[in-house]
Amino acid sequence: MGLFDFVKGIGKKNTAPAEPQPQAATPSEPSAQEVANQLLGLIKSLGLGVEGLSVTYNGAADVATIKGQVKSQADKEKIVLAVGNVDHVAQVDDQMTVVEAAPESQF
């Protein structure tokens, strides 16, 4: 568990494809709930089987908090890295637990 820092604004733009908008429309910042839902979808798309998965996002601090239980340390680290490499996320608060304990990677 821990808090991992990432560089905000250079990660993957995690947005769902949308219908073309008129050029006059200005892009708006997504709400905290929209970002959390996008991150939840991203984690599910990894196919790692997280039990009790929940994701929250604090837009004021740009922190994504991930809770749940994964089978391995490697799965946990893949999730943290995937979430941290998304636009709008500057920190990932990892509150996941691991079924099969193993040493954490050194990075």
Side-chain angles (χ1 to χ4, degrees):
M1 282 193 264
L3 194 61
F4 296 88
D5 291 319
F6 292 85
V7 178
K8 179 187 172 196
I10 64 168
K12 175 183 172 192
K13 307 299 186 229
N14 193 25
T15 57
E19 295 181 19
Q21 298 293 320
Q23 292 293 348
T26 58
S28 61
E29 287 292 313
S31 70
Q33 187 61 51
E34 289 172 329
V35 173
N37 289 340
Q38 291 170 351
L39 295 173
L40 184 64
L42 172 66
I43 294 169
K44 287 181 178 180
S45 74
L46 297 173
L48 299 175
V50 184
E51 292 183 28
L53 176 63
S54 78
V55 178
T56 57
Y57 177 75
N58 178 340
D62 300 318
V63 176
T65 302
I66 309 167
K67 296 179 182 179
Q69 185 177 39
V70 292
K71 292 181 182 179
S72 70
Q73 182 68 30
D75 288 350
K76 177 179 173 178
E77 292 170 5
K78 288 175 189 173
I79 292 168
V80 169
L81 290 173
V83 170
N85 285 310
V86 171
D87 192 28
H88 300 294
V89 177
Q91 291 183 320
V92 176
D93 184 4
D94 169 25
Q95 296 184 9
M96 292 181 288
T97 58
V98 179
V99 173
E100 300 171 13
E104 293 182 4
S105 295
Q106 298 296 316
F107 60 96

